[in-house]
Amino acid sequence: MDVPPRDVLTPDEIARRVERGRSLMLPVGVASDLDAASASARELRASLPEDLWVFASPGSVSGGPVLVVMRLVGAAEAKELRPALEVLIADFRQCAGALVAALRADVLPAHDSGDEYPGEVEAAGVTWLIEVHGEHCRFEDPVSGVVVEANTYDPDLLDPYFLLLFARTSGRHDAVLAACVHGFHDMCRLLDLAEVGYG
């Protein structure tokens, strides 16, 4: 990661310097707090091309916060990936729906009557380890390592981080994974460009 001074680079120079798969770190000053850095990130973001993302990071204690600039997946690549993204989403929703249905049928009624949550649930011939937390449940196949983190109220809801985790652990969505060089940020961009809502 490059760390040039923020005030010596114009938005055009920043755009030229940020390559796909690398980040550019821009100091915003020791005296700045994270709120001020976040405001600077929003301001800079507004002056950059749409495939560049900027966020504030605490940085080091001695150096103060920094702005991190990264180049996300481009619109043309996202368009090419749209079919693969749709397959990933359908795969996730099918798995999440089946797992949440099994959870509702076999686990939640027992819990509602005062029993402890069991540590596993059976779905489609596989015994999944479960960890219920809030409105989500983490399902993990201990044999294959597939992880499905699903909303127990609406398993069709998408969370970019959880969708990416499923893509990584399922081993079936290499094209989408390859495009997500910046992980969560690229997945958000893919979903945004595909106009797929997430929360």
Side-chain angles (χ1 to χ4, degrees):
M1 287 191 191
D2 270 340
V3 189
R6 157 76 174 102
D7 56 357
V8 299
L9 294 178
T10 68
D12 286 343
E13 290 169 327
I14 291 170
R16 281 194 299 274
R17 290 185 69 152
V18 180
E19 299 173 15
R20 185 83 169 108
R22 296 192 49 150
S23 299
L24 178 68
M25 294 176 57
L26 304 169
V28 291
V30 178
S32 296
D33 62 17
L34 199 52
D35 288 338
S38 295
S40 293
R42 287 189 296 276
E43 180 183 326
L44 177 59
R45 170 74 188 94
S47 66
L48 293 172
E50 66 176 24
D51 64 336
L52 290 180
W53 186 250
V54 184
F55 64 92
S57 172
S60 65
V61 174
S62 60
V66 295
L67 303 184
V68 180
V69 185
M70 56 181 62
R71 186 174 300 279
L72 302 181
V73 62
E77 184 181 4
K79 185 176 180 181
E80 289 178 19
L81 282 169
R82 178 76 182 265
L85 178 65
E86 289 173 352
V87 168
L88 166 61
I89 291 168
D91 189 14
F92 173 84
R93 285 180 167 161
Q94 180 181 10
C95 290
L99 290 166
V100 168
L103 181 78
R104 288 178 181 157
D106 301 333
V107 175
L108 297 183
H111 179 263
D112 291 344
S113 65
D115 293 342
E116 292 286 322
Y117 279 119
E120 56 191 39
V121 68
E122 178 96 12
V126 175
T127 301
W128 295 77
L129 303 177
I130 62 171
E131 181 186 332
V132 181
H133 51 100
E135 61 187 19
H136 290 96
C137 183
R138 176 188 168 97
F139 300 88
E140 182 172 353
D141 179 343
V143 176
S144 69
V146 174
V147 174
V148 179
E149 179 85 29
N151 185 299
T152 58
Y153 298 103
D154 185 353
D156 280 349
L157 284 179
L158 298 175
D159 176 289
Y161 177 80
F162 296 148
L163 187 61
L164 188 61
L165 178 62
F166 174 74
R168 282 185 183 135
T169 59
S170 71
R172 296 189 294 265
H173 304 284
D174 292 342
V176 175
L177 279 178
C180 291
V181 296
H182 289 295
F184 170 83
H185 300 288
D186 276 315
M187 182 60 79
C188 289
R189 172 103 166 128
L190 285 173
L191 293 171
D192 287 341
L193 289 172
E195 298 181 347
V196 175
Y198 56 90

